[in-house]
Amino acid sequence: MNPKTIESPAVLDRTKRKSCSRPIESPTLAKAFARKRVSLNGQWQYIVDPYDTGYRDYHQQLYDTATNPSGGYFLDRSPRDSSELIEYSFDDSPTLNVPGDWNSQDEKLFYYEGTVWYRRKFNFKKSAAQNRLFVYFGAANYESDVYLNGKKLGKHVGGFTPFSYEITALVRATNNSLVMRVNNQRTLGAVPTVNTDWWNYGGITRDVLLIETPATFIAGFRVQLKPGSTNIIEGRVQLDGAQKEQTIRVAISDLKLSAEARTDTNGLAHFELAAKELPLWSPLHPSLNTVTIACDTDQISDRIGFRTIETRGTNVLLNGEPVFLRGISIHEENPLRGGRAWSAEDARLLLGWAKDLNCNFVRLAHYPHSENMARLADEMGIMVWEEIPVYWTIQWTNAETLQLAQSQLEELITRDQNRASVVVWSVANETPVSAERTSFLKALVDSARSADGTRLISAAMEVRSDPDNPDHKIVDDPFSEFTDLLSFNQYIGWYDGTPDKLDRVTWTIKYAKPVFISEFGADAKQGLHGDSRTRFSEEYQEDLYRRTLLMLQRIPGFTGLTPWILCDFRSPRRPLPKIQDGWNRKGLIGQNGARKKAFAVLKKFYDKMETSGRSQTG
Ligand code: GCB
């Protein structure tokens, strides 16, 4: 009980609960997609709770949910016990699709930012009595509190990364009730903070899975090329459970490779496999191998590709060869259906359009996208930039904010560290230069490098104008010292002058690193035509693309680009009637799926770069 909020004995009586159980500590079930799973996707009941009534006491004071984890009164149905109460409250409630944001499913929730309670009932019979059971959430935006059969499993903060809880001790064979409070209110200290240029879709936006494991199971594994080598595969395996010390067998049958290793008292083993010759993953040859890891109690398989990625001077080298990154930025939205994208089909639609542009690279902006994207990119041969929502201005001096950014980065790396397609971890987008900002981002770079030293680190930075000459651009953000790519966004011709400025502009770039243009673009309403000076027309956007591509080729060290953006996307900060209507119109594809004129300009450039560019691999 929280002494701060429960003051009078009368209130104390009415808020009595069976127990305020502490959240159950769970091992991270990092490899959910590689395991046998039962889906809890489907119709979930929901209750919209804008005042967080579910977390208020009799006097309507908010509980401190950290110390009162089982929640408070819920609605008006005579409370005795919070778990029972939640059950009654849902009995007549409507349903939402999970996965799915609530904004695009219920008109009343289109702009809603607040709490929604969800419930899903399920039966589950374990296949062996000693097995363990986990519930896994691909993502819920932004903050979620999860309860099973009235007991709190835990709280997760961060809208785009997976989390899981062990429910072995709580699950019953029938009539389980999984209840979740999801809240998407924007707050200053959060990551992202209150101001963004995308829709704040709330809800359980990715898969919910039940995953049964043996009593001791393979909780995590990492398999990759040994740094500096092109034929030695190294990795580690982490067991969780009572039988921590076991022999691990790793096999890659397609390559006729196998090895054994012993886990230590903490359940951790390292292994190495030496191939005579290894077919390396690249966009031209996206070869994946079935890797099987087995111990006495468990076995798990995944399809994994092997490649190297590094920089040398101003080049990006894929498998040792210079590659030009023909990219496009993507938001995680399905413009045809509306709402947050999440499924394998959504990923196929978006990455299929990127392929139609002849991309070998995508920037998944501005937050971690669903695991389906990286998995499909592995298969399709598309390199990927993944990003966390450290966007514009966040609270650089707030230790909790840093911790939130760190946890999102860690969860993303843990999830996708075996994806060959993922070649860049990006820690931020357009963050104004200050000492506090730089030390915040440096801490993220350090975390990313210590979690995974095998990929490039970047951030989409800003450029500045020479105070004495507006046609002279300077790239000298001190944070660039810590990144592998020199990536920046620039909007010459749209927010910065008219497109003719693109023909005159000159550049001074302080760092000798690969120059990567993480954004440029112009709004165009699909179907709106005019001359090349008519803002928001397809012709303006087309002309800006032409001029920008010529300009970029004059920048020494220009090594790739991800123009802004593949598709129009919803944004509450784009209200211009009849033109924007709540959409950012910088897409090369409109909200109806139709291509704008600039699509063909970029595709033509990429076709040329593919044949004349520096790449043998991509
Ligand atoms: C940017 C941001 C991106 C915006 C874009 C725009 O620089 O990084 O999130 O959507 O500009 O359209 O203004």
Side-chain angles (χ1 to χ4, degrees):
M1 300 289 163
N2 179 3
K4 280 194 300 238
T5 54
I6 299 173
E7 283 144 6
S8 73
V11 175
L12 195 67
D13 267 345
R14 296 208 45 174
T15 56
K16 216 176 256 165
R17 297 176 190 91
K18 278 195 196 125
S19 71
C20 288
S21 62
R22 279 179 52 74
I24 296 165
E25 297 300 330
S26 279
T28 318
L29 197 75
K31 306 299 167 200
F33 270 63
R35 302 204 72 95
K36 259 216 260 160
R37 52 198 197 260
V38 169
S39 168
L40 287 184
N41 294 348
Q43 296 296 308
W44 289 49
Q45 289 177 293
Y46 76 107
I47 295 171
V48 183
D49 183 15
Y51 282 20
D52 253 329
T53 302
Y55 272 164
R56 285 179 192 275
D57 70 12
Y58 182 62
H59 288 157
Q60 287 297 298
Q61 300 182 86
L62 261 187
Y63 283 119
D64 174 345
T65 56
T67 53
N68 288 278
S70 58
Y73 286 93
F74 198 64
L75 307 183
D76 281 334
R77 284 186 168 156
S78 129
R80 241 170 300 123
D81 167 278
S82 63
S83 58
E84 272 178 45
L85 193 60
I86 281 168
E87 290 309 302
Y88 296 142
S89 308
F90 276 103
D91 281 351
D92 300 315
S93 70
T95 60
L96 281 175
N97 249 325
V98 169
D101 60 85
W102 61 58
N103 316 69
S104 64
Q105 295 190 61
D106 178 344
E107 248 174 49
K108 291 196 299 298
L109 299 181
F110 185 62
Y111 286 107
Y112 183 66
E113 295 183 309
T115 288
V116 171
W117 291 84
Y118 287 81
R119 180 181 76 176
R120 163 82 199 230
K121 295 237 178 178
F122 66 92
N123 300 335
F124 191 84
K125 196 166 161 8
K126 288 197 285 185
S127 53
Q130 73 279 10
N131 279 1
R132 296 163 71 180
L133 195 66
F134 294 81
V135 60
Y136 173 94
F137 300 87
N141 190 35
Y142 170 76
E143 178 183 290
S144 47
D145 298 87
V146 188
Y147 303 81
L148 182 69
N149 300 332
K151 295 278 182 313
K152 182 147 184 171
L153 301 176
K155 180 184 200 73
H156 181 263
V157 183
F160 303 96
T161 44
F163 52 99
S164 59
Y165 303 105
E166 179 161 12
I167 55 172
T168 312
L170 293 175
V171 74
R172 308 185 286 240
T174 56
N175 206 28
N176 289 287
S177 168
L178 184 59
V179 168
M180 207 162 156
R181 169 188 175 269
V182 183
N183 179 295
N184 71 335
Q185 249 150 3
R186 288 167 295 128
T187 57
L188 273 171
V191 181
T193 182
V194 291
N195 194 21
T196 67
D197 188 20
W198 69 81
W199 208 264
N200 181 24
Y201 291 111
I204 308 174
T205 50
R206 296 191 190 143
D207 294 288
V208 184
L209 307 170
L210 287 175
I211 293 167
E212 184 177 358
T213 72
T216 298
F217 71 102
I218 298 165
F221 59 92
R222 178 176 179 144
V223 188
Q224 63 184 31
L225 267 188
K226 185 174 180 156
S229 153
T230 50
N231 69 319
I232 300 177
I233 295 165
E234 64 166 23
R236 58 169 194 251
V237 180
Q238 178 70 57
L239 299 185
D240 186 274
Q243 278 175 266
K244 291 235 166 40
E245 289 175 81
Q246 297 198 35
T247 299
I248 304 287
R249 292 169 297 282
V250 184
I252 307 181
S253 52
D254 338 355
L255 303 174
K256 300 195 174 49
L257 292 176
S258 63
E260 281 194 358
R262 236 3 240 173
T263 45
D264 63 17
T265 49
N266 297 316
L268 181 67
H270 291 268
F271 63 85
E272 257 189 32
L273 300 156
K276 277 209 192 79
E277 220 187 328
L278 197 57
L280 296 181
W281 183 97
S282 71
L284 284 182
H285 304 286
S287 51
L288 300 175
N289 309 278
T290 302
V291 178
T292 304
I293 300 174
C295 61
D296 296 340
T297 53
D298 195 14
Q299 174 168 326
I300 195 165
S301 291
D302 202 355
R303 299 272 295 156
I304 298 179
F306 303 103
R307 51 106 193 93
T308 64
I309 189 84
E310 63 202 304
T311 63
R312 188 173 309 144
T314 57
N315 281 323
V316 172
L317 306 183
L318 175 68
N319 299 330
E321 291 192 36
V323 63
F324 185 82
L325 306 174
R326 310 187 306 271
I328 189 73
S329 296
I330 304 180
H331 258 299
E332 191 173 40
E333 223 176 48
N334 179 330
L336 303 183
R337 188 191 63 229
R340 196 41 92 233
W342 61 273
S343 65
E345 292 70 37
D346 290 339
R348 201 164 285 285
L349 178 78
L350 296 170
L351 294 181
W353 280 335
K355 269 278 182 193
D356 291 348
L357 270 172
N358 197 7
C359 286
N360 62 4
F361 188 89
V362 290
R363 173 184 179 205
L364 304 185
H366 280 302
Y367 38 76
H369 289 208
S370 124
E371 186 171 348
N372 288 311
M373 289 292 270
R375 286 193 168 267
L376 189 61
D378 262 13
E379 283 172 27
M380 290 174 76
I382 301 177
M383 290 176 277
V384 175
W385 157 311
E386 294 200 332
E387 183 166 331
I388 53 169
V390 174
Y391 183 87
W392 289 349
T393 53
I394 64 168
Q395 293 189 334
W396 307 118
T397 54
N398 182 340
E400 227 173 89
T401 304
L402 176 58
Q403 206 267 317
L404 285 169
Q406 301 265 28
S407 65
Q408 295 186 45
L409 182 64
E410 242 168 65
E411 287 164 349
L412 174 63
I413 293 178
T414 306
R415 191 192 73 183
D416 284 349
Q417 61 189 347
N418 291 322
R419 303 281 72 82
S421 55
V422 178
V423 293
V424 178
W425 303 124
S426 175
V427 298
N429 178 74
E430 285 188 354
T431 53
V433 177
S434 74
E436 293 79 19
R437 186 283 325 233
T438 302
S439 79
F440 186 105
L441 297 189
K442 170 70 168 53
L444 294 176
V445 169
D446 291 346
S447 304
R449 289 206 197 280
S450 80
D452 176 15
T454 69
R455 289 176 171 86
L456 308 181
I457 309 285
S458 195
M461 283 172 272
E462 295 182 304
V463 296
R464 66 185 182 93
S465 290
D466 185 339
D468 300 324
N469 175 4
D471 293 340
H472 177 214
K473 293 283 171 191
I474 301 172
V475 182
D476 62 356
D477 185 330
F479 177 62
S480 312
E481 198 183 309
F482 307 114
T483 62
D484 298 307
L485 296 179
L486 191 76
S487 321
F488 55 86
N489 301 347
Q490 66 79 25
Y491 281 92
I492 300 167
W494 184 252
Y495 297 125
D496 176 0
T498 45
D500 51 295
K501 180 169 178 177
L502 287 158
D503 310 340
R504 300 187 300 270
V505 77
T506 57
W507 294 84
T508 298
I509 295 181
K510 189 173 162 193
Y511 301 89
K513 297 190 177 189
V515 174
F516 184 85
I517 313 303
S518 30
E519 285 178 32
F520 74 84
D523 284 69
K525 183 160 180 182
Q526 191 276 325
L528 183 72
H529 295 289
D531 61 19
S532 62
R533 284 304 184 93
T534 309
R535 272 175 90 83
F536 291 103
S537 73
E538 288 198 34
E539 286 70 18
Y540 189 110
Q541 187 190 42
E542 180 188 34
D543 180 56
L544 180 135
Y545 265 70
R546 278 214 183 95
R547 290 174 196 252
T548 303
L549 295 171
L550 288 171
M551 180 275 286
L552 294 179
Q553 291 172 84
R554 298 197 299 269
I555 299 181
F558 174 46
T559 195
L561 65 161
T562 45
W564 195 252
I565 185 172
L566 183 65
C567 302
D568 288 359
F569 59 96
R570 280 199 186 276
S571 170
R573 62 195 305 282
R574 305 287 170 177
L576 196 62
K578 300 240 160 67
I579 300 282
Q580 295 174 320
D581 296 319
W583 291 77
N584 183 313
R585 298 286 183 199
K586 294 193 187 68
L588 293 173
I589 295 178
Q591 100 194 50
N592 49 6
R595 291 167 188 190
K596 303 177 195 172
K597 288 178 134 185
F599 188 103
V601 176
L602 187 62
K603 175 168 169 34
K604 195 164 161 211
F605 175 67
Y606 284 166
D607 290 348
K608 185 188 93 180
M609 292 311 285
E610 186 185 23
T611 45
S612 71
R614 292 175 279 178
S615 157
Q616 300 302 307
T617 48

